[in-house]
Amino acid sequence: MWTVIKFNNNYSEILKQKLVEKLGEDTKFYLPKIKIKKLRNNKYVNKDLSLMGNYFFCFNDKFQNLKILEGLKYLKCINYFLAGYMNSQTEINNFISK
């Protein structure tokens, strides 16, 4: 089951590691990024920008249990889980597949 998580930008990799520790190795993440080139001091600099800002998708079968989500929402890097993710699983799957 997919869920949408709002997180602190500086801690995305730490958050992924903590979620894998808590939920297991079968956890999948989807964070679409785009590479852009900027001219800075007469040099081109490559930069990765997230298309979704401070949000990313996380998949694990354990998200069906609401008690697990209650325990995860107090992790340091998570701001909150978006509500209504259970009702919109088909839309999330369609978005990720595109």
Side-chain angles (χ1 to χ4, degrees):
M1 176 167 278
W2 288 99
T3 185
V4 182
I5 301 173
K6 183 172 183 183
F7 66 99
N8 295 338
N9 260 342
N10 301 335
Y11 301 109
S12 65
E13 294 302 319
I14 296 170
L15 175 61
K16 287 179 185 179
Q17 291 173 356
K18 286 183 180 182
L19 286 173
V20 167
E21 287 174 8
K22 298 277 185 180
L23 298 173
E25 293 293 325
D26 58 341
T27 305
K28 298 178 189 174
F29 302 101
Y30 180 69
L31 179 62
K33 293 184 179 183
I34 187 170
K35 289 188 177 194
I36 61 169
K37 285 186 178 182
K38 282 189 168 184
L39 185 63
R40 187 176 290 170
N41 296 334
N42 293 328
K43 293 182 183 178
Y44 284 103
V45 177
N46 292 330
K47 190 170 184 180
D48 290 338
L49 289 178
S50 175
L51 291 178
M52 298 179 59
N54 295 356
Y55 296 92
F56 72 88
F57 293 102
C58 184
F59 178 83
N60 198 311
D61 292 329
K62 296 179 182 178
F63 288 140
Q64 294 175 355
N65 187 354
L66 295 177
K67 290 181 182 179
I68 291 177
L69 284 178
E70 287 295 319
L72 289 177
K73 74 178 185 179
Y74 296 110
L75 286 176
K76 179 181 178 182
C77 309
I78 293 178
N79 290 347
Y80 58 86
F81 288 91
L82 257 57
Y85 69 92
M86 287 187 171
N87 299 331
S88 56
Q89 288 297 306
T90 57
E91 289 89 3
I92 293 173
N93 283 328
N94 290 338
F95 177 77
I96 291 173
S97 66
K98 290 182 182 180

